[in-house]
Amino acid sequence: MAAAVAMATPVVLLTATSASALGASTAQTQNQPTYAELKQAAADAKKAHEEAVTAREEGLKELKATLEALDSDTHPLKAAVIAAERAAKEAAATRTAAEKAVADAEAKLEAAGDDTEKAAAQQALEAAQADLAKAVTAAKDADAEVEKADTALDDARVAASRKYGQLQTAAAKTLKDLETADAALAAAGQCVREAGLTSLADGLPSKVTAGTTVDFTLRVANGTERTLTVDPLVAFHTKDAAKHLLKVEWSDGSAWQTLDEDSGAEHIGHMETMKPGDHRDVKMRMTVGSSARATDAFALLASDASDAYNPCVLGPMKRYDFELLPAGSKPGPVDDAKPGRPQGNDERPSGTGPSPQGGTPTPTTTTSGTRTHTSGNLAETGASSTTMPLALASAATLTLGAGALLVARRRRATGNN
């Protein structure tokens, strides 16, 4: 059954996934295999190939043993050849003797002097000729038996070799099936872009005074034609070494969770089953330490998602620039920070990305260790409870800033499987 799946299913997978890789709509993907089906087909193809390789290896052992046995004088077929060849040799010797007897009788007949000697010689010649005829027939029969025995032995060798050849062919075919299935899975696993999957900040001010706390909202909207599982991605950075003075938190509906200041970016508020047109809000707040000096800062917001057909669906990343002001500053009326495109390429940080079909990605170990958050029920958004993947960017991202963040994000998008 596994072999049948591996042989039949992947053939349609490569063509089916090409449309998905371009961001196909739900209607376009209805007749294509899901990512789970592609994954199962690849697993079945791998199993079928492994079984075929094992059978081929065992078949080679069997072939060697069979050929060795066939070459043994004790094997019935080889023994039959030896016996036939011995009989043929004896028959040939008898024929040679009969031929000599005929020649001798002919010589005596020619040398006979009177009628009595000629009659006796003629009778002896006829008897020798009769014996020769029998010897010739016996020799032909013996030669035929040798050919028959040789053919039987050769047929046994050919049958053994053919059996092994079939195993070789099966292994080669299952390898091709496996390569096809793996290629289809890889194609389906490539990240696709969905401009309609947005993550925007509502209420994040463009200026924040040291020693204060500001509340804002992360709104995730599914403006695509897909039903998605979404992991919002957030990152906060400062121009200088003041990042440790930023404390950014998000609400899981029952408690406040703090972003790891040592991580380049984190996933928060896992959202299951966002249908087209849905939006979810995550409450957030940011506290600036009172010792913070004037500097520039920015936030990067995006969403990583997955659906039944693609384990990696990426929404556009937005950059929000804001200023940190010294304690006691009186900025007056402050506008909200405006979303813009991030500097460089819009890519995910290394180690981040959506979890296929709602699963939870493996937490990545950073300089601060491995952290996980468990979100409760987001009462105000309707999101379900699930384990959160956090601390997903490296210390290098922190050191190099947004440039490294964006380069790493590009690497994630092109390398996701």
Side-chain angles (χ1 to χ4, degrees):
M1 180 61 181
V5 174
M7 291 165 58
T9 306
V11 175
V12 300
L13 303 186
L14 287 173
T15 56
T17 54
S18 59
S20 176
L22 296 175
S25 68
T26 302
Q28 291 174 303
T29 59
Q30 287 178 346
N31 295 323
Q32 77 177 62
T34 65
Y35 188 78
E37 291 170 339
L38 290 170
K39 193 172 182 180
Q40 185 61 52
D44 290 341
K46 180 180 179 181
K47 181 180 179 181
H49 179 58
E50 289 173 347
E51 291 175 349
V53 169
T54 299
R56 182 187 63 190
E57 292 173 350
E58 293 300 320
L60 180 58
K61 295 178 183 178
E62 182 180 346
L63 173 62
K64 291 180 178 178
T66 299
L67 294 179
E68 184 178 350
L70 289 172
D71 286 337
S72 173
D73 292 350
T74 60
H75 192 281
L77 294 177
K78 184 64 176 294
V81 171
I82 295 173
E85 289 176 343
R86 184 185 300 114
K89 184 177 180 180
E90 293 174 353
T94 301
R95 181 182 62 187
T96 300
E99 290 172 346
K100 184 176 183 306
V102 169
D104 291 343
E106 289 175 342
K108 288 183 180 181
L109 177 59
E110 185 177 350
D114 54 26
D115 292 341
T116 301
E117 289 179 354
K118 288 182 179 180
Q122 182 62 41
Q123 185 177 3
L125 175 60
E126 291 174 357
Q129 289 173 336
D131 290 340
L132 176 59
K134 292 178 182 180
V136 169
T137 300
K140 289 181 179 179
D141 292 343
D143 289 342
E145 288 299 320
V146 170
E147 184 177 357
K148 180 179 178 181
D150 281 339
T151 299
L153 182 60
D154 289 342
D155 287 347
R157 292 193 180 104
V158 170
S161 299
R162 183 180 294 114
K163 181 179 179 180
Y164 176 66
Q166 291 171 344
L167 295 175
Q168 285 183 305
T169 300
K173 186 180 186 307
T174 56
L175 176 59
K176 184 177 180 179
D177 293 339
L178 175 58
E179 291 171 346
T180 301
D182 283 346
L185 183 63
Q190 292 178 357
C191 291
V192 297
R193 299 284 180 171
E194 284 286 7
L197 177 61
T198 58
S199 294
L200 301 175
D202 182 13
L204 177 64
S206 59
K207 298 179 180 181
V208 184
T209 302
T212 65
T213 298
V214 296
D215 295 318
F216 60 99
T217 300
L218 171 64
R219 168 157 290 195
V220 178
N222 182 9
T224 75
E225 297 183 18
R226 302 169 180 264
T227 296
L228 296 171
T229 295
V230 182
D231 291 297
L233 182 69
V234 300
F236 284 79
H237 294 272
T238 60
K239 186 176 181 180
D240 53 26
K243 184 180 178 183
H244 68 284
L245 297 175
L246 290 183
K247 180 182 180 182
V248 182
E249 301 170 282
W250 63 278
S251 174
D252 64 9
S254 60
W256 288 98
Q257 308 292 336
T258 303
L259 299 186
D260 181 4
E261 68 178 45
D262 292 329
S263 70
E266 293 186 22
H267 286 123
I268 67 172
H270 180 80
M271 301 173 182
E272 288 282 355
T273 318
M274 286 192 70
K275 295 182 179 180
D278 282 357
H279 71 270
R280 309 276 177 87
D281 290 342
V282 180
K283 292 181 179 179
M284 300 191 71
R285 66 188 183 190
M286 179 174 64
T287 301
V288 183
S290 58
S291 61
R293 299 180 180 181
T295 188
D296 293 328
F298 65 92
L300 296 174
L301 306 179
S303 281
D304 294 336
S306 63
D307 66 7
Y309 304 97
N310 294 95
C312 180
V313 179
L314 305 179
M317 181 175 282
K318 296 296 182 181
R319 172 172 170 144
Y320 289 80
D321 289 292
F322 58 94
E323 296 179 50
L324 299 185
L325 304 179
S329 298
K330 304 294 183 180
V334 176
D335 295 330
D336 286 350
K338 303 300 181 182
R341 293 179 61 83
Q343 296 176 356
N345 293 310
D346 176 9
E347 305 295 348
R348 282 357 182 219
S350 177
T352 66
S355 51
Q357 303 183 43
T360 302
T362 302
T364 301
T365 300
T366 67
T367 54
S368 61
T370 300
R371 302 177 67 242
T372 59
H373 286 316
T374 302
S375 67
N377 182 32
L378 299 182
E380 71 277 18
T381 66
S384 62
S385 174
T386 184
T387 302
M388 299 306 304
L390 298 178
L392 297 175
S394 66
T397 300
L398 177 65
T399 303
L400 298 178
L405 178 71
L406 298 175
V407 171
R409 191 173 184 227
R410 180 179 68 250
R411 196 175 296 125
R412 165 65 183 82
T414 57
N416 181 76
N417 185 353

